[in-house]
Amino acid sequence: MEKNQAGLNFFQAHSLFINEIRREIHTICLREFGQNWQQNYSATFRFEGLKDTWNKNIDDGKLPEDLIECSNLEMFSRHYEGRQFFRNKFNDITFTVHASFKNIAKARNMVAHNAAYDSDIADLAYLSMIEIFRKLKKENLVNELRSLRDRSNIVEKINAKPKFRDKSNSHNNAERLFSNTE
C-alpha cells in the first residue's frame, strides 16, 4: 500500500461525512429559516470572496445544500452556536463544533490539494467527524469512519521510515550521557 492510500481513505471518509452533514444542516436550516435559508447561511461568511463564490454558484444553478462545506460550516456554526436550534442538534459539543469543522476542512484541503499527508492533522479530523456523528446518533457512520481511520493508520505504519541514529560519532555530536555525579 502506498502512503497515498491514507489520503484516499481520508477522502472517502470526508465524502461520507460531508454528504451526511449536508443533509443534516439543510434540514436544520429549512426548519429554522424556511425556504430561503441560504441567505441566512451565507450571511455568516466572514469573507466577501466566499460570499461572491457562493452567490455565483447559486446563479449557475447549483443547489445551495450542495455548497455546504466544512470551511463555511465553521463560520455558520460559530455564528449560531448559542441559538437554541443549533444547541438542540449539537448539545454537548455546541461550543466546539466550529473547531471540529475547521479541523476537518484543514485535513480535506491537505488531501485535496496534494499536500504532504500529515497523519496528525488527519487523525484530528477523523476524531472530529466521529464526535459529530456520535452526537447525531449515526453509529453506522461512526464505525465506518473508525474503520477508514484505522486503515489509514496501518498505511502510515507500513510506510514509516525507521529512525536510525549514527552512534559511531556520538562523542563528537555532544550526545554523551552524564552520570548523576557529573
Side-chain angles (χ1 to χ4, degrees), residues 3-180:
K3 195 167 185 175
N4 288 342
Q5 186 63 44
L8 292 173
N9 288 349
F10 180 81
F11 189 75
Q12 184 179 357
H14 178 267
S15 295
L16 286 170
F17 177 80
I18 199 64
N19 287 331
E20 186 62 32
I21 205 69
R22 281 175 176 159
R23 283 191 282 277
E24 290 288 332
I25 297 297
H26 182 235
T27 301
I28 291 169
C29 288
L30 279 173
R31 197 174 304 132
E32 181 64 17
F33 305 118
Q35 289 299 317
N36 292 322
W37 65 270
Q38 65 269 19
Q39 280 89 11
N40 294 79
Y41 187 89
S42 63
T44 65
F45 298 171
R46 292 186 299 267
F47 312 107
E48 281 304 313
L50 192 55
K51 288 178 186 177
D52 293 342
T53 301
W54 175 276
N55 291 330
K56 182 185 178 318
N57 284 325
I58 299 289
D59 291 344
D60 289 346
K62 292 188 179 169
L63 297 174
E65 55 268 28
D66 291 340
L67 301 176
I68 295 172
E69 294 294 340
C70 288
S71 56
N72 55 46
L73 273 170
E74 181 264 328
M75 292 176 271
F76 174 78
S77 61
R78 184 181 296 265
H79 184 81
Y80 287 110
E81 68 188 0
R83 297 276 299 274
Q84 189 61 42
F85 78 91
F86 200 76
R87 284 197 321 258
N88 288 344
K89 197 58 134 171
F90 297 102
N91 188 10
D92 298 352
I93 60 172
T94 301
F95 295 106
T96 60
V97 74
H98 64 271
S100 295
F101 288 131
K102 190 173 188 174
N103 294 335
I104 299 164
K106 183 176 183 180
R108 181 251 175 228
N109 290 339
M110 170 186 71
V111 172
H113 300 295
N114 297 317
Y117 186 84
D118 184 325
S119 60
D120 292 335
I121 292 171
D123 279 345
L124 189 55
Y126 275 114
L127 293 173
S128 296
M129 290 186 285
I130 288 167
E131 178 184 34
I132 290 169
F133 277 164
R134 284 184 60 219
K135 178 46 65 188
L136 297 174
K137 296 176 176 57
K138 308 259 182 207
E139 286 304 316
N140 59 334
L141 293 171
V142 166
N143 293 333
E144 202 160 344
L145 289 174
R146 283 186 177 140
S147 174
L148 287 164
R149 180 194 64 194
D150 292 346
R151 281 189 270 163
S152 293
N153 288 338
I154 290 169
V155 169
E156 282 296 301
K157 288 176 184 168
I158 289 171
N159 290 317
K161 291 185 171 115
K163 296 177 183 177
F164 295 105
R165 229 174 82 200
D166 182 11
K167 295 180 182 180
S168 64
N169 202 10
S170 62
H171 291 290
N172 293 338
N173 291 331
E175 292 182 21
R176 189 170 79 82
L177 297 175
F178 294 93
S179 68
N180 287 339

